[in-house]
């Protein structure tokens, strides 16, 4: 054997030893993991290309707006003249292809950002139209259409209508148009990009554009609002670039890059953002107040990192899809499917599988790996929820996590992964947990 060949063989043996040293994974799963990665190579390459494009887009925006260390200087009190805060608004608008933006640590969640948008654009007597079926569970109490709740849109005299999805889970474009024609009180059309706790496909930018064109063909006077949570930087374009008037999202999901400790954002037309600013603080003051309190640095850094981190999360999702499809489970989206968000759904068929999956994924978390998740009555949800989430930032969905309501079809909704190498281990340990309880290879 030649010297070079011997070295190569040694490296391969070292790699195998390293793979098996730190985590105990059944050899059958380890072998299947290699096959899963091979099946995902083309998808990984496509993800890398999108991440590189979006990273260039973000970097060029930072350069154009002359970001400097002075933008990280904290303000207190009212926050008048916070140049770092104001510049970040401009940068985000530039990146998202919007006229204007608000990005604030004081927006406590994605649901809060969405609520600001809805209350900003709707008035008593107006109607909200959900164009993509039932919104995410946490919005039910914001809208108040099922159970009356204090401070809801319903309590303020705002109506609600919903267009169900088609039998194959896609938006009903004709149904949306018919509803718009039949009700002049509709002022906001709500589009949810992500699937939430639903089995329908997440919406790609192409689908969002189709919905907006269908709306505009009937009504030019309505505000098209997109809940963009989980979708930022997944594709080369964002909803504002295909006609959305207003979008909103969370900074502990994609655009925070795993660095932002909290916060949310809104992007859209100048008119919409002005109305949102008045709702976010007070009429007359709007965006002029709101001290950054030293958060600017993490918001800038998180936004800068986000295209890369989103790419890593997408690779983790694709790997999970490939592995669990090989294990015989139905998954959505598939390995080669165009993705609209970072969420991977794995249909686990029963509660036992679902609980084992989430408990195994928790074992691969860098934080709280020793915790054993159990189903519980989570506020804002109609079913018990189990959640694996060992994150540096509590509730950060851009960090590897998996959660699900304990109801049919017992689907785990997995998302995140700050880097693919650790995300892959989390997915493998979820499968290992199922194997150890006798749920695999039977």
């Amino acid at each position: 054997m030649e010297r070079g060949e011997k070295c190569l063989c040694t490296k391969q043996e070292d790699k195998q030893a390293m793979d098996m040293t730190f985590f105990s994974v059944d050899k059958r799963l380890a072998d299947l993991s290699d096959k899963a990665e091979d099946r995902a190579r083309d998808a990984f390459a496509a993800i890398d290309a999108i991440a590189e494009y979006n990273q260039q887009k973000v970097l060029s925006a930072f350069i154009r707006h002359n970001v400097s260390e002075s933008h990280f200087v904290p303000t207190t009190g009212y926050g008048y003249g916070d140049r770092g805060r104001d510049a970040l608004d401009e940068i985000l608008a530039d990146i998202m292809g919007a006229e204007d933006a608000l990005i604030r640590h004081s927006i406590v969640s994605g649901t809060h950002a969405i609520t600001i948008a809805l209350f900003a654009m709707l008035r008593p007597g107006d109607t909200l139209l959900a164009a993509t079926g039932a919104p995410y569970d946490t919005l039910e109490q914001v809208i108040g259409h099922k159970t009356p709740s204090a401070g809801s849109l319903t309590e303020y005299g705002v109506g609600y209508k919903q267009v169900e999805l088609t039998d194959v889970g896609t938006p009903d474009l004709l149904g949306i148009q018919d509803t718009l024609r039949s009700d002049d009180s509709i002022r906001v059309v709500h589009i949810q990009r992500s699937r939430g706790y639903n089995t329908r496909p997440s919406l790609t930018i192409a689908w969002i554009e189709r919905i907006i064109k269908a709306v505009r063909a009937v009504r030019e006077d309505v505000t098209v609002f997109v809940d963009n949570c989980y979708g930022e930087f997944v594709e080369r374009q964002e909803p504002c670039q295909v006609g959305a008037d207003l979008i909103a999202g969370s900074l502990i999901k994609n655009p925070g890059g795993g660095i932002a400790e909290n916060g949310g954002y809104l992007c859209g037309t100048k008119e919409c953002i002005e109305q949102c600013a008045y709702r976010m603080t007070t009429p007359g003051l709007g965006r002029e107040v709101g001290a950054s309190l030293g958060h600017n640095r993490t918001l800038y850094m998180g936004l800068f990192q986000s295209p890369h981190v989103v790419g890593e999360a997408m690779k983790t999702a694709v790997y999970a899809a490939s592995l669990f499809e090989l294990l015989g489970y139905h998954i959505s989206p598939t390995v080669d499917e165009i993705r609209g968000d970072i969420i991977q759904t794995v249909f686990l068929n029963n509660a036992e599988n679902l609980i084992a999956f989430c408990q195994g994924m928790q074992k691969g978390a860098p934080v709280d790996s020793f915790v054993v998740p159990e189903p519980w009555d989570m506020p804002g949800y109609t079913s018990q929820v189990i959640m694996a989430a060992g994150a540096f930032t509590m509730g950060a969905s851009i960090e590897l996590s998996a959660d699900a309501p304990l109801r049919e079809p017992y689907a785990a909704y997995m998302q995140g992964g700050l880097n693919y190498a650790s995300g892959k281990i989390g997915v493998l340990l979820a499968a290992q947990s199922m194997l150890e309880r006798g749920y695999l290879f039977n």
Side-chain angles (χ1 to χ4, degrees):
M1 180 179 291
E2 296 294 329
R3 183 181 180 88
E5 292 177 332
K6 183 178 180 180
C7 289
L8 177 61
C9 181
T10 302
K11 287 180 180 178
Q12 289 173 339
E13 290 171 356
D14 287 347
K15 182 178 186 298
Q16 181 66 18
M18 184 179 294
D19 285 347
M20 304 305 294
T21 297
F22 299 104
F23 295 94
S24 179
V25 175
D26 187 278
K27 187 178 185 304
R28 290 169 293 176
L29 279 179
D31 291 343
L32 208 61
S33 173
D34 291 339
K35 186 175 180 181
E37 282 193 309
D38 287 340
R39 295 176 73 229
R41 300 265 176 228
D42 290 345
F44 284 2
I47 290 167
D48 285 339
I50 292 170
E52 182 173 357
Y53 175 89
N54 285 326
Q55 192 66 67
Q56 289 187 26
K57 178 168 62 174
V58 170
L59 176 60
S60 66
F62 274 56
I63 292 170
R64 276 195 303 277
H65 290 274
N66 298 318
V67 173
S68 71
E69 189 174 358
S70 64
H71 287 111
F72 310 149
V73 174
T75 56
T76 59
Y78 297 123
Y80 287 127
D82 191 322
R83 60 190 302 270
R85 176 197 66 201
D86 296 342
L88 191 56
D89 287 346
E90 295 173 2
I91 292 167
L92 183 63
D94 192 350
I95 292 168
M96 294 292 177
E99 293 179 1
D100 204 353
L102 296 167
I103 175 170
R104 296 289 186 278
H105 72 89
S106 54
I107 297 176
V108 302
S109 66
T111 300
H112 185 197
I114 294 163
T115 301
I116 290 171
L118 296 179
F119 275 91
M121 305 312 300
L122 290 160
R123 300 292 182 271
D126 291 345
T127 297
L128 170 66
L129 175 64
T132 49
Y136 197 64
D137 295 41
T138 55
L139 282 183
E140 289 181 2
Q141 293 185 50
V142 175
I143 297 168
H145 62 297
K146 290 186 177 179
T147 304
S149 53
S152 68
L153 288 168
T154 300
E155 189 179 59
Y156 277 82
V158 174
Y160 176 78
K161 288 190 174 181
Q162 181 175 302
V163 178
E164 301 299 337
L165 300 168
T166 66
D167 292 340
V168 293
T170 56
D172 182 356
L173 300 181
L174 293 178
I176 294 167
Q177 290 181 322
D178 288 343
T179 306
L180 286 167
R181 289 190 187 99
S182 67
D183 190 345
D184 291 338
S185 73
I186 294 171
R187 290 290 173 268
V188 173
V189 175
H190 174 280
I191 299 171
Q192 183 173 291
R193 183 171 182 176
S194 182
R195 67 186 63 198
Y197 285 153
N198 198 313
T199 57
R200 60 99 163 163
S202 300
L203 296 182
T204 62
I205 290 294
W207 258 112
I208 292 171
E209 185 174 22
R210 289 181 67 184
I211 297 170
I212 294 171
K213 285 182 176 179
V215 170
R216 296 295 181 221
V218 177
R219 295 276 298 276
E220 289 282 353
D221 60 323
V222 298
T223 297
V224 177
F225 167 68
V226 179
D227 170 1
N228 204 32
C229 287
Y230 301 102
E232 301 90 352
F233 302 115
V234 169
E235 298 187 70
R236 292 171 184 250
Q237 288 182 297
E238 300 294 336
C240 288
Q241 294 174 287
V242 295
D245 297 301
L246 186 60
I247 66 174
S250 166
L251 299 186
I252 60 170
K253 297 183 175 70
N254 302 20
I259 295 174
E261 295 173 307
N262 70 335
Y265 77 90
L266 298 119
C267 297
T269 66
K270 287 189 177 298
E271 180 183 356
C272 287
I273 294 300
E274 182 178 31
Q275 293 298 317
C276 289
Y278 292 152
R279 179 68 195 186
M280 179 181 68
T281 60
T282 70
L285 294 178
R287 70 195 311 158
E288 301 301 323
V289 295
S292 58
L293 302 175
H295 287 272
N296 279 347
R297 181 177 177 276
T298 55
L299 299 191
Y300 274 89
M301 187 181 293
L303 181 60
F304 178 74
Q305 282 287 104
S306 54
H308 170 72
V309 173
V310 169
E312 297 294 282
M314 289 178 67
K315 286 182 180 179
T316 302
V318 169
Y319 169 77
S322 184
L323 179 67
F324 275 86
E325 189 171 42
L326 288 172
L327 287 167
Y329 289 92
H330 175 57
I331 46 90
S332 177
T334 59
V335 173
D336 298 320
E337 195 172 340
I338 296 174
R339 292 170 179 260
D341 63 14
I342 63 171
I343 296 175
Q344 180 63 49
T345 306
V346 182
F347 297 89
L348 294 163
N349 304 332
N350 58 58
E352 291 76 18
N353 278 344
L354 182 58
I355 292 169
F357 178 97
C358 291
Q359 290 179 345
M361 186 159 286
Q362 184 75 30
K363 293 179 181 179
V367 180
D368 290 334
S369 60
F370 55 87
V371 172
V372 180
E374 295 288 351
W376 67 300
D377 298 314
M378 189 172 178
Y381 296 86
T382 56
S383 302
Q384 280 198 321
V385 173
I386 185 168
M387 182 173 292
F392 293 97
T393 297
M394 185 179 293
S397 302
I398 193 59
E399 301 185 49
L400 184 64
S401 61
D403 51 283
L406 260 71
R407 62 185 185 222
E408 292 185 349
Y410 298 104
Y413 297 87
M414 191 202 88
Q415 60 270 317
L418 294 178
N419 60 73
Y420 170 65
S422 63
K424 172 184 171 182
I425 292 296
V427 173
L428 268 174
L429 292 181
Q432 179 70 23
S433 174
M434 295 171 64
L435 175 61
E436 289 170 356
R437 300 181 196 194
Y439 302 149
L440 295 181
F441 301 123
N442 291 328

